[in-house]
Amino acid sequence: MTGYLGSYATLGLLLLAGVLFLVVAFTANRVLRPARPADPPGKRASYECGLDPVGGDWAQMQIRYYVYAYLYVLFAVEAVFLFPWAVVFDRPGFGMVTVVEMAIFVGVLALGLLYAWRRNILRWT
């Protein structure tokens, strides 16, 4: 398919094929499933590693886990920014300016880590 509308026709055919695939899959599921699925006792009970569940279904999560996840994301983003900087650093014209910018970036992250360390956020209890 060429011309101005060729790419739109290709996209339309792809979308049509996707919708057709879903319709065929759901129709096959409806035709091939049992008419009355079995509902043995205990089928809808909670399952925890082969043991009977203990207690209710409400569990309170400590905020500390979210702080650890946030710190992990923070330092993963730092690594993502450090790699391109290291690749560009040795190119002409990027000398001292890039070193100062990255020093400011790493300094701000170091201040955040120091704050977390001083507040005992990093201590696993």
Side-chain angles (χ1 to χ4, degrees):
M1 295 185 186
T2 60
Y4 179 72
L5 296 177
S7 59
Y8 290 113
T10 304
L11 179 65
L13 287 175
L14 185 64
L15 288 175
L16 182 66
V19 169
L20 185 63
F21 177 77
L22 284 174
V23 168
V24 167
F26 278 109
T27 304
N29 182 28
R30 183 169 290 257
V31 169
L32 298 175
R33 73 176 181 167
R36 291 183 50 99
D39 198 10
K43 181 175 182 176
R44 301 194 191 282
S46 298
Y47 182 75
E48 295 181 10
C49 303
L51 303 173
D52 291 331
V54 177
D57 59 350
W58 175 254
Q60 193 168 4
M61 189 78 112
Q62 289 187 11
I63 191 69
R64 184 173 307 265
Y65 300 127
Y66 296 109
V67 172
Y68 284 124
Y70 179 72
L71 288 173
Y72 171 76
V73 168
L74 180 74
F75 289 107
V77 167
E78 176 187 9
V80 166
F81 282 128
L82 280 175
F83 181 73
W85 173 79
V87 170
V88 171
F89 174 67
D90 67 342
R91 294 188 182 160
F94 287 101
M96 201 59 186
V97 174
T98 58
V99 172
V100 170
E101 288 175 351
M102 192 50 66
I104 292 171
F105 178 70
V106 171
V108 169
L109 289 175
L111 282 175
L113 183 61
L114 180 67
Y115 174 78
W117 179 65
R118 297 273 299 177
R119 303 276 275 171
N120 289 328
I121 293 174
L122 300 177
R123 185 169 309 213
W124 188 267
T125 57

